[in-house]
Amino acid sequence: MQYWLMKSEPDVYSLADLEREQHTIWDGVRNYQARNLMRDSMQVGDQVLFYHSNARPPGVAGLATVAQTGLADPSQFDPQSPYFDPKASPDNPRWITVKLSYQDRFKRFVPLDELKAHPELSELMVIRRGARLSVQPVSAADFKLICQLGNSPGTGS
DNA sequence: GCCAACGTTGGC
DNA sequence: GCCAACGTTGGC
């Protein structure tokens, strides 16, 4: 089991949206490093910190789990989509993603400032300036601590 | 709205 | 294959 942090702009897709829908295909990722992590490293059952970026304040809103892997992002085939990729075809998809399931909303939203204030989290990618990667690996210890800060049981116990 | 950091593109 | 120009991300 591995742990991840995944960013979403809440104006576009928030944890509340995932809670309402319960499941979502994580579409629109157009960065090769993020794609490779989802395609090659994520496994069903992995735990995800759902991070709100471009928000005031930015921070971790809750938890999701990886429900399915190896999915072709449908938006790459849709000419109407802003994520359309003319070089991709159903026979030869370029953008592989995962399906997430809603797990939990933190009782306490954990803002970025608070993550930065914890010396234990100094290795956490998201606190570093310019860490734009939208899918980031998180250590088990960091995941557990962040769940505690959010006053969420997670499943890390 | 600013701008630093980073990724991608394309001319050569 | 280098690298300048450009576009995007995302905190502030």
Side-chain angles (χ1 to χ4, degrees):
Chain A
M1 147 106 58
Q2 287 183 270
Y3 301 93
W4 307 93
L5 178 146
M6 294 172 79
K7 296 180 186 173
S8 186
E9 301 192 21
D11 288 348
V12 178
Y13 194 85
S14 69
L15 182 68
D17 294 322
L18 180 58
E19 182 173 14
R20 187 168 52 249
E21 297 181 353
Q22 289 296 305
H23 309 280
T24 193
I25 291 177
W26 202 252
D27 64 356
V29 172
R30 292 295 179 269
N31 171 283
Y32 288 105
Q33 202 179 344
R35 179 204 67 179
N36 292 348
L37 287 170
M38 291 195 292
R39 185 189 62 188
D40 303 334
S41 301
M42 276 194 185
Q43 293 183 287
V44 171
D46 282 359
Q47 301 264 103
V48 177
L49 299 167
F50 196 109
Y51 181 87
H52 282 175
S53 63
N54 245 328
R56 286 208 290 272
V60 180
L63 300 177
T65 58
V66 176
Q68 201 176 338
T69 59
L71 299 169
D73 179 340
S75 65
Q76 70 191 308
F77 309 130
D78 176 5
Q80 305 307 314
S81 168
Y83 304 118
F84 177 62
D85 184 343
K87 294 188 181 134
S89 67
D91 284 345
N92 191 18
R94 177 180 299 205
W95 302 107
I96 302 298
T97 188
V98 299
K99 183 193 247 185
L100 293 184
S101 292
Y102 174 80
Q103 184 177 333
D104 188 35
R105 176 202 293 269
F106 280 179
K107 294 189 179 62
R108 281 186 66 250
F109 181 86
V110 182
L112 178 61
D113 279 349
E114 193 170 331
L115 299 176
K116 287 179 175 172
H118 280 268
E120 306 94 311
L121 297 176
S122 62
E123 297 301 308
L124 193 70
M125 278 183 79
V126 77
I127 67 170
R128 298 206 201 115
R129 179 176 189 77
R132 300 190 335 189
L133 194 61
S134 65
V135 177
Q136 306 178 354
V138 175
S139 74
D142 288 357
F143 181 88
K144 192 171 181 180
L145 174 57
I146 293 166
C147 288
Q148 287 168 4
L149 295 176
N151 194 18
S152 163
T155 59
S157 49

